[in-house]
């Protein structure tokens, strides 16, 4: 089975061809960084227009890189939400039209499921497993029991963790996207210089909140004069995030033990999972619990079409697909 996956929920227009043998035949990601850079963040209207301009080329390139004809595609999987409505409409209409013309099954991909299932494409991970999903648009912890069974243990009550990285970068004039820039600056800084809060790290709470940390960073940034100050703030901020995420991971593993969930592994997915310091602290927590820990490689951590194609394969294997009238869902919580 060869499935074409299309992703357009935020600022990457992406398409990939993946087989049910976990072969990623192609993985094309057309970034919109240049379009959004002047504004220091994603502008939804600009994103929608850019998706419309790039989607045709992106899908053609994915087929070309894979050395495959469109007619050899067994199914189409397109992200239908959650995400920015303009981009989701562009990608899902394109995907549904292709499925109609080729007369092949269509799978409506939930972007959160795609991140959560992506480790089963990149590594040998069996159900049930624990996922920490940390990206620009979402932040939650869930148990994945099957390709259609996700139990949310905790989620953010305000901002996502990726958003706090982007905001920190913007405040310090590092531009967009913020995560990689903050990570780079943090490498030169002293993580004990600024005292920043670790929100909601008490009483075993599995929910997240980053609004308070963002405000604390804003107040500290006002006092930053030199590059050294900025590096120290980035290091202190990144340490605060790593502390919060490791606390949540530890508490979630305790909850799973109490619930007698026989976890086979733990995974961190989404753009922030590409951060090395975050990866190290999460690995340490898992080591203490004797758990295998996985993070997809960089190109599969951030948004991509391969994870959408993989959702298609997982759903089709258990007999699930969607009608061509499936309406895009800008808000679409995990089932
Ligand atoms: O998963 P993703 O590509 O898109 C969403 O679904 O949101 O995640 C993008 C987010 C951005 O906020 C970006 O700043 C963050 O992931 N990010 C990072 C790193 N690379 C990307 N955050 C921290 N460290 C990184 N190395
Ligand atoms: Zn994402």
């Amino acid at each position: 089975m060869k499935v074409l996956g299309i992703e357009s929920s935020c600022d990457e227009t992406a398409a990939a061809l993946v087989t049910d043998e976990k072969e990623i035949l192609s993985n094309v990601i057309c970034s919109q960084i240049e379009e959004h850079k002047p504004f220091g963040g994603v502008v939804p209207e600009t994103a929608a227009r850019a998706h419309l301009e790039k989607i045709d080329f992106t899908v053609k390139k994915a087929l070309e890189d894979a050395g495959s004809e469109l007619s050899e595609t067994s199914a189409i999987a397109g992200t239908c939400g959650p995400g920015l409505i303009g981009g989701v409409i562009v990608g899902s209409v394109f995907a549904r039209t292709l499925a109609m013309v080729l007369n092949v099954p269509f799978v409506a991909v939930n972007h959160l499921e795609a991140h959560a299932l992506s480790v089963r494409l990149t590594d040998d991970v069996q159900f049930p497993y624990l996922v920490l999903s940390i990206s620009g648009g979402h932040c939650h912890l869930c148990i994945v029991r099957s390709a259609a069974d996700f139990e949310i243990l905790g989620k953010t009550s305000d901002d996502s963790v990726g958003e706090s990285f982007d905001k920190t970068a913007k405040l310090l004039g590092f531009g967009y996207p913020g995560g990689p820039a903050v990570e780079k600056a943090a490498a030169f800084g002293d993580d004990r210089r600024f005292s920043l809060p670790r929100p909601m790290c008490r009483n075993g709470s599995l929910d997240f909140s980053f609004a308070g940390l963002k405000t604390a960073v804003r107040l500290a940034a006002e006092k930053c004069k030199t590059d050294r100050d900025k590096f120290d703030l980035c290091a202190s901020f990144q340490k605060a995030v790593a502390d919060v995420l490791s606390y949540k991971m530890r508490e979630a593993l305790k909850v799973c033990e109490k619930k007698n969930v026989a976890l086979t592994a733990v995974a961190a997915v989404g753009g922030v999972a590409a951060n090395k310091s975050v990866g190290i602290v999460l690995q340490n927590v898992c080591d203490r619990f004797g758990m295998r820990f996985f993070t997809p490689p960089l190109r599969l951590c951030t948004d991509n079409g391969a994870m959408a194609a993989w959702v298609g394969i997982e759903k089709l294997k258990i007999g699930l697909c969607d009608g061509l009238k499936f309406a895009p869902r800008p808000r679409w919580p995990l089932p």
Side-chain angles (χ1 to χ4, degrees):
M1 193 192 324
K2 251 191 221 179
V3 175
L4 174 66
I6 297 175
E7 155 62 36
S8 59
S9 65
C10 189
D11 60 342
E12 264 106 16
T13 317
L17 211 60
V18 177
T19 74
D20 53 348
E21 299 291 328
K22 298 191 178 183
E23 268 179 292
I24 302 175
L25 301 175
S26 61
N27 188 25
V28 180
I29 302 169
C30 288
S31 157
Q32 301 178 1
I33 287 178
E34 289 312 314
E35 283 90 333
H36 300 296
K37 217 176 211 162
F39 306 98
V42 182
V43 182
E45 177 66 25
T46 307
R49 286 170 193 269
H51 284 303
L52 204 52
E53 273 166 26
K54 293 172 199 260
I55 195 151
D56 201 26
F57 163 82
T58 309
V59 171
K60 271 192 195 143
K61 179 92 171 61
L63 290 164
E64 201 181 292
D65 286 1
S68 189
E69 295 294 327
L70 193 53
S71 56
E72 292 165 0
T73 310
S74 332
I76 311 283
T79 304
C80 287
L84 300 173
I85 184 63
V88 167
I89 289 176
V90 172
S92 78
V93 168
F94 199 93
R96 284 179 288 148
T97 308
L98 276 182
M100 186 178 74
V101 171
L102 296 173
N103 196 22
V104 294
F106 166 71
V107 175
V109 174
N110 176 310
H111 185 69
L112 309 181
E113 287 184 18
H115 275 300
L117 292 171
S118 63
V119 277
R120 281 173 50 81
L121 168 62
T122 57
D123 291 285
D124 179 26
V125 174
Q126 306 298 321
F127 300 121
Y129 58 96
L130 179 71
V131 167
L132 173 66
S133 202
I134 37 180
S135 82
H138 35 92
C139 181
H140 59 255
L141 268 160
C142 72
I143 300 171
V144 186
R145 290 201 163 82
S146 81
D149 185 352
F150 302 81
E151 182 188 345
I152 296 272
L153 297 179
K155 60 180 187 324
T156 183
S157 49
D158 42 54
D159 303 324
S160 76
V161 57
E163 224 175 312
S164 68
F165 269 96
D166 294 334
K167 194 64 193 246
T168 301
K170 196 172 175 179
L171 283 167
L172 297 175
F174 289 156
Y176 168 85
V182 170
E183 178 168 23
K184 217 163 141 192
F188 301 102
D190 171 4
D191 63 13
R192 289 160 305 177
R193 162 90 184 276
F194 290 92
S195 161
L196 298 172
R198 271 72 171 153
M200 296 183 86
C201 287
R202 260 182 300 173
N203 307 327
S205 164
L206 295 181
D207 288 322
F208 303 80
S209 166
F210 292 100
L213 178 57
K214 239 168 64 177
T215 305
V217 168
R218 183 170 53 76
L219 296 174
E222 283 166 10
K223 295 182 204 127
C224 284
K225 300 274 183 288
T226 63
D227 281 350
R228 160 105 350 254
D229 294 338
K230 292 182 181 183
F231 296 161
D232 290 348
L233 182 55
C234 285
S236 305
F237 161 76
Q238 188 172 268
K239 177 76 168 60
V241 169
D243 284 352
V244 170
L245 297 179
S246 66
Y247 174 86
K248 300 293 169 182
M249 179 71 90
R250 213 165 36 240
E251 293 305 313
L253 284 167
K254 283 191 211 160
V255 166
C256 289
E257 275 180 358
K258 263 192 214 138
K259 284 171 162 247
N260 283 327
V261 183
L263 294 176
T264 68
V266 175
V269 300
V272 182
N275 184 291
K276 290 200 183 62
S277 305
V278 167
I280 289 168
V281 295
L282 296 177
Q283 176 77 61
N284 288 342
V285 173
C286 291
D287 287 348
R288 265 179 265 139
F289 280 78
M291 278 287 169
R292 296 186 309 151
F293 175 68
F294 297 96
T295 303
L298 188 62
R299 262 179 94 73
L300 296 163
C301 240
T302 48
D303 290 349
N304 63 86
M307 66 183 187
W310 181 249
V311 171
I313 291 165
E314 293 259 26
K315 299 270 178 184
L316 290 166
K317 273 188 184 167
I318 54 173
L320 298 175
C321 68
D322 297 281
L324 292 175
K325 288 201 174 138
F326 193 98
R329 296 180 63 180
R331 288 177 188 276
W332 185 4
L334 277 174

